[in-house]
Amino acid sequence: MKLPGHDAIARQADEHLVTHRVKLPKKVVERPVRQVGTRLVMALLVLVATAFIVWIDRGGYHDNSDGAVDLLDAFYYATVTLSTTGYGDITPVSDAARLTNIFVITPLRVLFLIILVGTTLEVLTERTREEWRLNRWRATLRDHTVVVGFGTKGRSAIETVCATGLRKEQVVVVDPSSKVVDAATADGYAGIVGDATRSDVLVRAEVRKARQIIIATQRDDTAVLVTLTARQMNRAAKIVAAVREEENAPLLKQSGADAVITSASAAGRLLGLSVLSPAAGMVMEDLIQQGSGLDIVERPVIKAEVGKGVRETADLVVSVVRGHRVLGYDDPAVGTLQLTDRLITIVRVTPGTQVAPDIRPLPHE
C-alpha cells in the first residue's frame, strides 16, 4: 500500500482547515461592481441635474455669505439638499424657486436617497434570499448524488450519470478549491467548499441522505479517508471510488466502497485494446459514453422475463446481478431469470431516447 505517513496526512488536514461553505447555483445577474457603478452614475446625474436647475433659477436663491448664487454655490446647494444635510446658508426666496423645490428638487432628493439606500437594501435582501434558498435546499435534498472531487474524473463521472436522467439539482460537489466549486455551480450543481475527509463537511453535503457517492480525489489516501467517513455516515449509499494505483483498490473496498475503478490501469487497457483492435476500442469508448450510440445499463428483471433464459430477453444481456454475485450471460449458474435479478444490458440509444438505469445500491456487506 503506497500511502504517506500519518504526519503527511495530518499536514494535509491542517492545510484544509478553512471555513467550509455551501454554494448554490446562481441565476445570471448583473455583476455587483457594474450594479454599484450604474447606481453611482445615476446618483451623479441626479446631483448635476439638481445643480443646473438651481443655477438656472439662481435669481430666486439667496446666499448668506455674498447674496449671489454662482455655479459652485448651485452644486453646493444641490449636495447639501439631496443628502438632507440642509445648512440653510443658501435658501430659495422667490415663489418660483420654492415651487421648484417642492415639485422638482424634493422628488429628486427622494430619488437620490432611493438610489443610495437601495444598494444597501438590495445587499440585505440578497443575503436573506440566499439564506432562504440554502435552508430550503437542505430541507428538500434527499436521494441525491455527492461527488467528492470535481476534476477531470469527477466531472466526467457526473456528466455520465446526468446523461441517464439525473437532474443537476440532485448533485452536490465537494472540493477544497473555491475556484473548482465555482466552476461546478456555474454548471448548475450545488457545491461545498471544504475537505471531504472531515465529517462536518460531509454533513453539510447531506451525505446521510445521499443515494450515491462518487469519490474522485487526486490522492489515494484521501480517497480511503473519505470512503471510511462516508460509509460510517451512510450504510445504504452506493459508493464508487477511483484510485491511481491498482494495489490500493482492495483497501478501498475494505473501507466500504461498492466499486473501485483504477483510472490509470483502465486508461492503459483501453489504449492497449485500441492498438490491438481500433474498432474494438471505438466500441468500448462508445459504451462508456452515456447518451448516444451504444450504452451499457443496469435494469431490474420484469415479470414477463421471469423463468426465461438470458438469451430469451429482448435486450443484449451481458451479465446477471444476483445477490452479491455478478454472473456472466453464459454462466450455468444463471439458469432462468428470477424477479430479484438485475440485468446488465447493452442498448441502442438514439438522440430522442433517454435510458435511465436502475440505480438502487448493491447490498453492502
Side-chain angles (χ1 to χ4, degrees):
M1 171 73 186
K2 296 181 179 179
L3 295 178
H6 295 290
D7 293 339
I9 298 176
R11 286 196 299 270
Q12 182 189 13
D14 291 338
E15 291 174 358
H16 292 154
L17 284 177
V18 296
T19 303
H20 47 266
R21 57 192 182 277
V22 181
K23 292 187 177 182
L24 299 181
K26 295 182 179 180
K27 298 179 181 179
V28 179
V29 295
E30 192 177 6
R31 293 181 178 179
V33 175
R34 184 176 297 176
Q35 290 184 7
V36 174
T38 301
R39 292 173 186 269
L40 181 60
V41 171
M42 292 173 60
L44 291 176
L45 290 176
V46 172
L47 177 63
V48 172
T50 304
F52 275 102
I53 291 173
V54 174
W55 184 72
I56 291 172
D57 192 25
R58 57 189 176 277
Y61 292 83
H62 176 74
D63 186 355
N64 293 335
S65 62
D66 56 8
V69 176
D70 56 15
L71 185 60
L72 177 60
D73 294 331
F75 272 95
Y76 168 75
Y77 176 79
T79 302
V80 298
T81 299
L82 293 180
S83 62
T84 68
T85 304
Y87 293 113
D89 47 353
I90 300 178
T91 57
V93 293
S94 68
D95 292 341
R98 290 177 177 178
L99 287 174
T100 301
N101 268 263
I102 294 173
F103 295 108
V104 179
I105 295 181
T106 297
L108 288 175
R109 180 187 300 118
V110 175
L111 177 61
F112 186 82
L113 293 176
I114 289 175
I115 292 173
L116 296 183
V117 177
T119 303
T120 302
L121 292 177
E122 184 173 348
V123 171
L124 295 176
T125 302
E126 181 62 26
R127 289 181 180 177
T128 303
R129 186 186 300 116
E130 190 67 19
E131 187 67 23
W132 179 83
R133 287 184 64 206
L134 184 58
N135 292 334
R136 183 175 179 272
W137 171 77
R138 286 174 174 166
T140 58
L141 190 65
R142 56 179 51 85
D143 292 335
H144 57 288
T145 299
V146 176
V147 183
V148 179
F150 200 64
T152 303
K153 293 180 292 185
R155 186 187 297 269
S156 300
I158 202 58
E159 287 177 354
T160 299
V161 177
C162 287
T164 64
L166 181 68
R167 294 180 293 110
K168 290 186 175 182
E169 294 81 2
Q170 289 295 103
V171 177
V172 180
V173 174
V174 181
D175 198 281
S177 172
S178 180
K179 293 182 179 180
V180 171
V181 173
D182 287 340
T185 55
D187 289 342
Y189 310 115
I192 310 290
V193 181
D195 182 5
T197 60
R198 296 170 56 87
S199 59
D200 54 344
V201 175
L202 295 182
V203 167
R204 286 182 174 268
E206 300 292 341
V207 165
R208 291 189 177 94
K209 297 188 293 184
R211 173 178 291 186
Q212 302 169 126
I213 303 172
I214 299 174
I215 301 174
T217 58
Q218 298 297 323
R219 296 167 57 98
D220 289 1
D221 58 331
T222 304
V224 172
L225 292 175
V226 174
T227 302
L228 284 169
T229 307
R231 179 55 71 196
Q232 184 179 19
M233 297 174 64
N234 190 331
R235 294 289 181 181
K238 178 188 290 183
I239 299 179
V240 179
V243 293
R244 291 178 176 271
E245 302 293 337
E246 191 167 3
E247 61 187 40
N248 294 334
L251 182 57
L252 262 296
K253 291 185 177 180
Q254 293 176 10
S255 301
D258 295 295
V260 179
I261 305 300
T262 307
S263 56
S265 298
R269 293 188 184 98
L270 186 57
L271 286 173
L273 179 62
S274 299
V275 170
L276 297 174
S277 174
M282 292 176 59
V283 172
M284 290 300 300
E285 184 71 17
D286 186 16
L287 286 174
I288 61 178
Q289 289 183 353
Q290 293 288 325
S292 63
L294 296 175
D295 280 2
I296 183 164
V297 299
E298 181 180 337
R299 67 170 180 84
V301 172
I302 61 177
K303 291 183 178 180
E305 296 171 335
V306 175
K308 294 183 178 180
V310 172
R311 299 183 183 276
E312 298 179 71
T313 61
D315 295 334
L316 178 60
V317 178
V318 178
S319 299
V320 177
V321 181
R322 179 170 295 167
H324 296 278
R325 298 183 299 166
V326 179
L327 306 174
Y329 70 94
D330 58 347
D331 194 322
V334 173
T336 58
L337 297 177
Q338 304 174 10
L339 188 60
T340 57
D341 290 342
R342 281 179 287 169
L343 303 180
I344 299 177
T345 65
I346 296 177
V347 298
R348 169 69 65 180
V349 178
T350 60
T353 304
Q354 188 176 60
V355 179
D358 178 40
I359 56 176
R360 290 176 297 173
L362 285 167
H364 183 74
E365 298 184 56

